[in-house]
Amino acid sequence: MAQNNSLQPTHPNLIKHCLIALTLSLNPKETQALLPFSPSAMVYVKSQKSKAYFKRYQVKFKRRREGKTDYRARIRLINQDKNKYNTPKYRFVVRFSNKDIVAQIISASIAGDIVLAAAYAHELPRYGLEVGLTNYAAAYCTGLLLARRVLKTLEMDEEYEGNVEATGEDYSVEPAESRRPFRALLDVGLIRTTTGNRVFGALKGALDGGLDIPHSDKRFAGFDKEKKELDAEVHRKYVFGGHVAAYMKILAEDEPEKYQSHFSEYIKRGIEADGIEALYKKVHAAIRADPSLKKSEKQPPKEHKRYNLKKLTYEERKAKLIARVAAINSAADNDEDDE
């Protein structure tokens, strides 16, 4: 097949680069002769960030720089009406880590945030739940624990019992005759508020516990987007760990080895898929029976482990120097005696 030696059209950027290369390699007179324009007519690029820009530059808040706080959301959560004066505005704060769930009732002040009450997933082993401390059902238990704890602190636990039996249906507390229900706003932080997110499991636990939190049922697990209604049975399954039980059954049948490794802690404690719902019912009852905070019985260490040398006082340094000088002098005297 014959090759086509005809000249192809050259890309304009290629021509520009060739001209720049020639400009750099040749002397000014030769360059001026080759270029179709004057070098003095080249484009002037203005510096956008001048000295005045940097003098007026203000850094963002530290927690914004670290990517920890959404201040746009926070200011809307903590802003209080002026006619309410110094009345605290409470937030129901939920945060997740790899091994724990933190739920807190917090109010903002000029000096900093004040925590009224807190509950953690690592407290759940005290109530009978030793495994699966970060799933949807555990988030429900943590929210329930916090709700009962804060109401007991405020002596409102008998007046507002909440939804004693979790049915999965949406529940909102009704005001009593004497005191209004404790109201807080849900603070999810930087979590994506997708349907079925664990943060809404904690919200459901707090609602069933008797707190008044403005919400919608659109983000609870089991909400049908097409029908635009909450499937209470599906939601109840998640509250009582039914999704975990279903996964256990599937793994036990299809991949026994993976089941042994994935649910090793469940197997060690004798927890089976059919007994998970009964386990969570016992945990809910235990939380309602005694939600109070108990101090850790773990003893503090007798000696703190040091990773660096202890700093000596002036007297200790002086005594150490004297001892060293004395050792050098005695060594010198011994050498003289040997000679």
Side-chain angles (χ1 to χ4, degrees), residues 196-214:
N197 195 303
R198 293 173 299 170
V199 71
F200 298 111
L203 169 65
K204 177 60 177 166
L207 292 169
D208 286 355
L211 295 187
D212 178 20
I213 303 173

Side-chain angles (χ1 to χ4, degrees), residues 13-33:
N13 285 340
L14 184 61
I15 296 171
K16 186 169 71 175
H17 290 313
C18 291
L19 288 171
I20 291 167
L22 284 169
T23 306
L24 294 172
S25 61
L26 300 175
N27 60 48
K29 291 183 179 179
E30 292 174 344
T31 305
Q32 183 64 35

Side-chain angles (χ1 to χ4, degrees), residues 119-120 123-124 127 140-149 287 291:
Y120 303 89
E123 295 180 65
L124 297 179
Y127 298 99
Y140 177 90
C141 293
T142 309
L144 178 65
L145 176 59
L146 176 61
R148 300 312 301 163
R149 182 171 290 171
I287 288 171

Side-chain angles (χ1 to χ4, degrees), residues 65-269:
R65 297 198 306 270
E66 294 173 347
K68 291 180 178 179
T69 299
D70 179 3
Y71 281 99
R72 182 182 171 82
R74 178 181 166 83
I75 199 166
R76 284 158 177 75
L77 285 168
I78 67 173
N79 267 6
Q80 181 64 289
D81 297 333
K82 293 295 181 184
N83 60 357
K84 293 180 182 176
Y85 301 102
N86 206 25
T87 306
K89 191 171 186 177
Y90 292 105
R91 311 194 313 276
F92 174 65
V93 179
V94 185
R95 298 290 184 269
F96 291 86
S97 68
N98 289 343
K99 294 184 179 181
D100 205 3
I101 302 171
V102 182
Q104 296 171 319
I105 298 293
I106 296 178
S107 62
S109 71
I110 294 294
D113 284 7
I114 300 167
V115 179
L116 178 67
Y120 303 89
H122 65 250
E123 295 180 65
L124 297 179
R126 196 180 108 206
Y127 298 99
L129 185 66
E130 297 179 342
V131 288
L133 299 180
T134 54
N135 57 31
Y136 194 94
Y140 177 90
C141 293
T142 309
L144 178 65
L145 176 59
L146 176 61
R148 300 312 301 163
R149 182 171 290 171
V150 71
L151 289 176
K152 188 171 183 179
T153 304
L154 300 171
E155 298 180 352
M156 297 169 65
D157 54 331
E158 294 181 3
E159 198 171 2
Y160 292 100
E161 291 187 355
N163 189 15
V164 178
E165 188 173 347
T167 58
E169 295 178 357
D170 190 17
Y171 173 81
S172 295
V173 66
E174 295 294 331
E177 294 180 1
S178 56
R179 299 172 72 180
R180 286 179 293 179
F182 184 86
R183 189 179 180 86
L185 304 177
L186 178 64
D187 184 341
V188 298
L190 303 177
I191 296 173
R192 286 183 181 272
T193 52
T194 52
T195 303
N197 195 303
R198 293 173 299 170
V199 71
F200 298 111
L203 169 65
K204 177 60 177 166
L207 292 169
D208 286 355
L211 295 187
D212 178 20
I213 303 173
H215 69 283
S216 168
D217 62 359
K218 290 183 179 180
R219 290 303 180 190
F220 288 138
F223 183 81
D224 193 330
K225 193 176 179 181
E226 294 178 357
K227 295 180 181 178
K228 294 185 178 179
E229 61 181 17
L230 177 66
D231 190 338
E233 284 299 318
V234 175
H235 194 203
R236 185 185 182 281
K237 184 185 82 170
Y238 275 83
V239 167
F240 286 102
H243 59 301
V244 179
Y247 186 53
M248 286 176 75
K249 289 176 182 177
I250 291 168
L251 275 188
E253 291 175 5
D254 298 345
E255 300 179 67
E257 292 180 3
K258 189 176 179 182
Y259 171 75
Q260 293 289 333
S261 63
H262 201 72
F263 290 100
S264 59
E265 294 297 321
Y266 285 74
I267 296 166
K268 192 187 295 182
R269 290 168 175 79

